[in-house]
């Protein structure tokens, strides 16, 4: 099932995408629950309850404004750095220069604030005067359904409710300047997300392809089978002493091919368009202005 969040006639709605992907039909959520986006659906599914009935017409995409599936995050998103071997290698002399003694001992986990989240077609704002080294990172994001603390690796996949696509946009100079990553990852609009949630019964996020194009040029291509720390390990790590809740997001890391890893580096500039596609989910495409 694909769960989408969209605006129609000025109101946010949560709906189900048709099997052919051509339309979306709203679910009968009250306005206050539709305001939190697909989190309303995630919480019901995590409890083993049925979603509300479909109501109204099947909308074509040109009739609605598609939004991020989880537009109202209740807390920061969990994110993972250096989680593909080739990506770790390409940034070894910059971002990872002082942190390379044992690259496979523990995942590098940081967060992005909720205000980073924007829709799958929304513009991303370049922070003029603050950073001029803005980079893209195509990533599979895991959405937690059943919550828990100290979740074992063996039980971790039972806590996954869905997957989506994110772009972990990064200000590289800020990231390196502060020797921690939250600030350089957390500018407003720095987490395009979408186009919808795909439930875990339709996709195994442990085996899917991630690709990214900048202005039509393929820059990144990887498979989540190549993650250094797989999805169960990431869930186990993030839940150590920390309770995970329904709707929490864990971005799993990016393949090689980011702008800083090129020679010379190629950062995003005004008017650039970044398209990210993950097999089994769909694509997002955002203009940087």
């Amino acid at each position: 099932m694909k769960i989408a969040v969209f605006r129609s006639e000025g109101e946010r709605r949560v709906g189900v995408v048709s099997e052919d992907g051509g339309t979306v039909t709203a679910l009968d959520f009250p306005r206050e629950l539709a305001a939190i986006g697909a989190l309303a659906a995630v919480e019901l599914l995590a409890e083993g309850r049925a979603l509300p009935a479909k109501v109204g017409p099947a909308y074509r995409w040109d009739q609605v404004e598609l939004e991020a599936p989880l537009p109202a995050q209740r807390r920061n998103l969990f994110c993972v750095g250096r989680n593909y071997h080739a990506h770790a290698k390409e940034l070894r002399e910059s971002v990872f220069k002082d942190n390379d003694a044992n690259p496979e001992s523990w995942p590098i986990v940081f967060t992005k604030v909720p205000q980073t989240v924007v829709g799958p077609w929304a513009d991303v704002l370049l922070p003029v005067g603050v950073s001029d080294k803005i980079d893209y990172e195509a990533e599979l994001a895991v959405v937690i359904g059943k919550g828990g603390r100290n979740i074992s690796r063996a039980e971790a996949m039972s806590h996954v409710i869905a997957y989506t696509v994110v772009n972990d946009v990064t200000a590289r100079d800020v990231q390196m300047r502060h020797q921690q990553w939250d600030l350089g990852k957390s500018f407003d609009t720095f987490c395009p997300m979408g186009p919808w949630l795909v439930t875990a019964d339709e996709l195994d996020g442990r085996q899917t392809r991630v690709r990214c194009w900048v202005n039509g040029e393929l820059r990144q291509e990887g498979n989540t089978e190549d993650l250094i720390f797989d999805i169960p390990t990431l869930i186990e790590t993030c839940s150590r002493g920390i309770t995970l809740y329904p709707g929490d997001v864990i971005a799993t890391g990016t393949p090689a091919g980011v702008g800083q890893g090129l020679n010379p580096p190629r950062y995003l500039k005004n008017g650039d368009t970044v398209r990210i596609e993950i097999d089994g989910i769909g694509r997002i495409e955002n203009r940087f202005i």
Side-chain angles (χ1 to χ4, degrees):
M1 177 168 49
K2 295 181 176 67
I3 303 171
V5 175
F6 63 98
R7 282 194 180 271
S8 172
E9 300 175 353
E11 290 191 15
R12 176 174 287 164
R13 303 171 190 267
V14 181
V16 175
V17 180
S18 62
E19 289 190 10
D20 64 5
T23 62
V24 61
T25 304
L27 297 171
D28 192 15
F29 279 112
R31 183 178 298 179
E32 63 271 19
L33 286 181
I36 63 174
L39 178 58
V42 166
E43 290 180 332
L44 285 178
L45 293 174
E47 295 171 1
R49 298 164 62 189
L51 296 179
K54 296 178 182 178
V55 293
Y59 293 98
R60 301 188 312 272
W61 297 116
D62 61 359
Q63 296 176 302
V64 300
E65 177 187 353
L66 193 59
E67 296 192 322
L70 295 168
Q73 290 289 309
R74 290 175 170 167
R75 62 176 178 178
N76 288 16
L77 294 78
F78 294 88
C79 304
V80 180
R82 190 171 59 177
N83 205 23
Y84 288 79
H85 294 280
H87 175 58
K89 182 178 180 180
E90 72 179 349
L91 296 189
R92 187 167 293 159
E93 294 305 314
S94 55
V95 175
F96 304 131
K97 187 173 183 179
D98 299 320
N99 190 19
D100 203 43
N102 190 358
E104 299 184 20
S105 54
W106 290 93
I108 297 171
V109 180
F110 58 94
T111 68
K112 295 173 84 79
V113 300
Q115 291 75 18
T116 57
V117 176
V118 293
W121 315 118
D123 290 340
V124 177
L125 304 179
L126 295 169
V128 178
V130 181
S131 171
D132 60 1
K133 293 180 172 58
I134 306 303
D135 211 347
Y136 52 88
E137 294 192 8
E139 305 199 13
L140 173 75
V142 173
V143 181
I144 296 298
K146 180 176 65 175
R149 184 177 64 207
N150 298 327
I151 299 167
S152 71
R153 188 178 183 282
E155 295 294 325
M157 294 306 293
S158 69
H159 291 259
V160 177
I161 196 77
Y163 301 94
T164 192
V165 181
V166 298
N167 186 349
D168 177 20
V169 183
T170 306
R172 293 296 185 193
D173 45 356
V174 177
Q175 179 186 23
M176 291 185 288
R177 179 188 307 144
H178 291 281
Q179 293 300 299
Q180 55 75 38
W181 296 3
D182 287 22
L183 292 179
K185 301 280 191 173
S186 287
F187 289 101
D188 292 352
T189 74
F190 266 29
C191 190
M193 176 189 290
W196 37 62
L197 303 185
V198 176
T199 52
D201 59 340
E202 289 195 1
L203 175 70
D204 185 350
R206 295 169 294 184
Q207 302 177 60
T208 192
R209 181 175 57 166
V210 179
R211 291 179 292 171
C212 175
W213 293 260
V214 178
N215 300 327
E217 175 192 359
L218 181 64
R219 295 276 187 90
Q220 294 183 277
E221 183 168 8
N223 194 294
T224 56
E225 290 180 316
D226 300 326
L227 291 174
I228 297 173
F229 301 100
D230 62 12
I231 291 170
T233 301
L234 297 180
I235 293 172
E236 181 181 62
T237 299
C238 291
S239 70
R240 288 169 63 93
I242 299 172
T243 301
L244 299 183
Y245 294 98
D248 276 344
V249 172
I250 302 174
T252 58
T254 197
V258 298
Q260 180 152 328
L262 303 177
N263 188 17
R266 297 167 66 183
Y267 299 109
L268 297 171
K269 59 185 183 302
N270 184 47
D272 284 348
T273 298
V274 178
R275 175 163 61 98
I276 298 171
E277 185 169 337
I278 298 181
D279 291 358
I281 302 179
R283 67 183 177 93
I284 65 174
E285 186 167 324
N286 305 90
R287 187 168 61 108
F288 285 69
I289 62 171

